[in-house]
Amino acid sequence: TETVTEENYFFKLSAWQERLLAYYEEHPDFIRPETRRNEVIAFVRSGLRDLSISRTTLKWGIPLPKLEKPGGGPAPEHVFYVWFDALTGYLSGIGYGQENAPAESFSRLWPADLHLVGKEILRFHAVYWPAFLMAAGLPLPRMIFAHGWLLFEQDKMSKSRGNVVRPRPIVNVLGLDALRYFLLREIVFGQDGSFSYDALVQRYISDLANGLG
């Protein structure tokens, strides 16, 4: 373990706790499915801490304008850091704050009808992101839906584990519609779902070949 000290800028997330809770109450479909909504509300009710949004020990990131210390002299150079830089990509990607962007792009595309995100990053999208937007006076997305994981024989698929299922060979053998049918038939949207080659073949034979066929 290494202890380091550096100067940070913070977003005052704690100041938005009650307003976030009120928004969740007024917009019951803002976070789906219901189980994830309950998790987010419980997290916010437990108390929000202010969020560090900059670093001085890193060089990658979005550089802040150079500032002076209150007493004079140059302040350390900061870069915006996750999740403050990552989430604002939703806005900059559709022209917000860009002089050369099409005039209608941001007003036409925002607020988004839906953010479809993995369940492991729901907190950042359903707590931090709405608070950033509220603070900026910008509208919130209409819905945030957290999907589950696609498991391979009960383990989460991961490139580091090397257990990623590649769809192209399956499509070459069974066809794209067969793979789509299996995923829609086997997995409840919003929950974790399990994939295995045995289950795919059995579903293909029982439903598509013997049943519908």
Side-chain angles (χ1 to χ4, degrees):
T1 300
E2 181 182 0
T3 301
V4 297
T5 301
E6 63 174 314
E7 185 178 284
N8 289 182
Y9 283 103
F10 282 78
F11 176 81
K12 199 170 179 60
L13 186 64
S14 58
W16 298 93
Q17 178 172 328
E18 295 306 318
R19 188 168 171 183
L20 285 170
L21 291 172
Y23 191 87
Y24 302 150
E25 182 69 24
E26 295 166 4
H27 301 82
D29 290 332
F30 178 61
I31 304 171
R32 306 302 296 167
E34 186 71 16
T35 53
R36 303 298 175 202
R37 177 177 182 271
N38 294 337
E39 290 174 4
V40 169
I41 291 175
F43 172 75
V44 175
R45 282 178 176 163
S46 69
L48 296 179
R49 300 173 60 185
D50 294 343
L51 182 68
S52 170
I53 60 170
S54 79
R55 297 289 189 275
T56 55
T57 55
L58 297 175
K59 299 304 180 186
W60 56 270
I62 301 174
L64 275 73
K66 292 184 178 180
L67 303 172
E68 288 193 1
K69 293 181 179 179
E77 293 187 0
H78 289 252
V79 294
F80 282 131
Y81 194 66
V82 291
W83 282 80
F84 196 73
D85 62 334
L87 292 168
T88 53
Y90 291 125
L91 304 182
S92 60
I94 55 175
Y96 180 76
Q98 298 178 29
E99 295 180 0
N100 59 348
E104 76 284 357
S105 61
F106 179 75
S107 59
R108 181 171 58 87
L109 296 172
W110 192 263
D113 290 324
L114 173 69
H115 277 324
L116 183 62
V117 302
K119 65 179 184 179
E120 71 275 15
I121 56 173
L122 176 62
R123 180 185 303 176
F124 312 112
H125 285 79
V127 181
Y128 301 173
W129 181 221
F132 295 163
L133 292 169
M134 288 177 176
L138 294 171
L140 275 60
R142 296 186 177 94
M143 180 184 292
I144 300 172
F145 197 105
H147 65 74
W149 290 338
L150 185 58
L151 308 174
F152 178 65
E153 296 178 346
Q154 305 306 317
D155 286 328
K156 182 185 177 186
M157 289 193 199
S158 167
K159 287 184 289 186
S160 59
R161 293 182 181 179
N163 65 344
V164 175
V165 175
R166 303 193 179 280
R168 182 57 60 186
I170 298 172
V171 171
N172 291 340
V173 175
L174 299 182
L176 182 58
D177 284 341
L179 179 57
R180 285 173 171 161
Y181 176 83
F182 172 80
L183 295 173
L184 291 170
R185 177 67 174 78
E186 290 285 319
I187 300 172
V188 177
F189 192 55
Q191 298 180 15
D192 291 346
S194 183
F195 176 92
S196 74
Y197 292 107
D198 288 341
L200 172 64
V201 171
Q202 289 302 317
R203 181 64 67 187
Y204 183 91
I205 294 172
S206 63
D207 286 17
L208 298 181
N210 293 341
L212 296 174

